[in-house]
Amino acid sequence: MGILGWIIVGGLMGALAKAIMPGNDPGGIIVTIIIGIVGGLLGGFIGSALFGVSTGGFFDIRTWLIALVGALLLLGIYRVIAGRRAVRH
C-alpha cells in the first residue's frame, strides 16, 4: 500500500481515534485527523520495521488496525504534551 493509501486510512482512523478517545483536544477535529494520518504512517512503519507485520492491502484488516493503534498512540502522546502546555500557561 502506498503513501496515499496510508494518508486516507490514517485520516479515517484519526477520526475514529477521536471517537474512541473523546475529550477536549486543543486543535479540534482537523488536528486530530492530521495526527491520525501521521499515526497511521507511524503505525505502518513500526509494524513493518520492528515487528515484521506485513500491512497488506488497502482493504486488509491488519492495515486498518495498525493505523488505528498508531493514531491512538499518537493522540494519547499529543494530549499529554498539550495538557502540560496548558497547565504551564
Side-chain angles (χ1 to χ4, degrees), residues 27-70:
I29 189 71
I30 300 298
V31 172
T32 304
I33 290 173
I34 292 170
I35 287 172
I37 292 169
V38 174
L41 291 169
L42 181 68
F45 175 73
I46 290 173
S48 297
L50 295 181
F51 302 116
V53 176
S54 66
T55 55
F58 185 79
F59 294 104
D60 191 351
I61 191 70
R62 290 176 296 183
T63 301
W64 294 84
L65 290 175
I66 289 170
L68 180 60
V69 169

Side-chain angles (χ1 to χ4, degrees), residues 63-85:
T63 301
W64 294 84
L65 290 175
I66 289 170
L68 180 60
V69 169
L72 287 169
L73 180 67
L74 207 56
L75 181 59
I77 291 169
Y78 172 71
R79 285 185 177 180
V80 168
I81 291 171
R84 288 183 185 164
R85 283 190 200 155

Side-chain angles (χ1 to χ4, degrees), residues 7-27:
I7 290 172
I8 293 169
V9 170
L12 293 171
M13 292 299 102
L16 183 60
K18 173 72 173 165
I20 291 173
M21 294 176 61
N24 294 331
D25 289 326

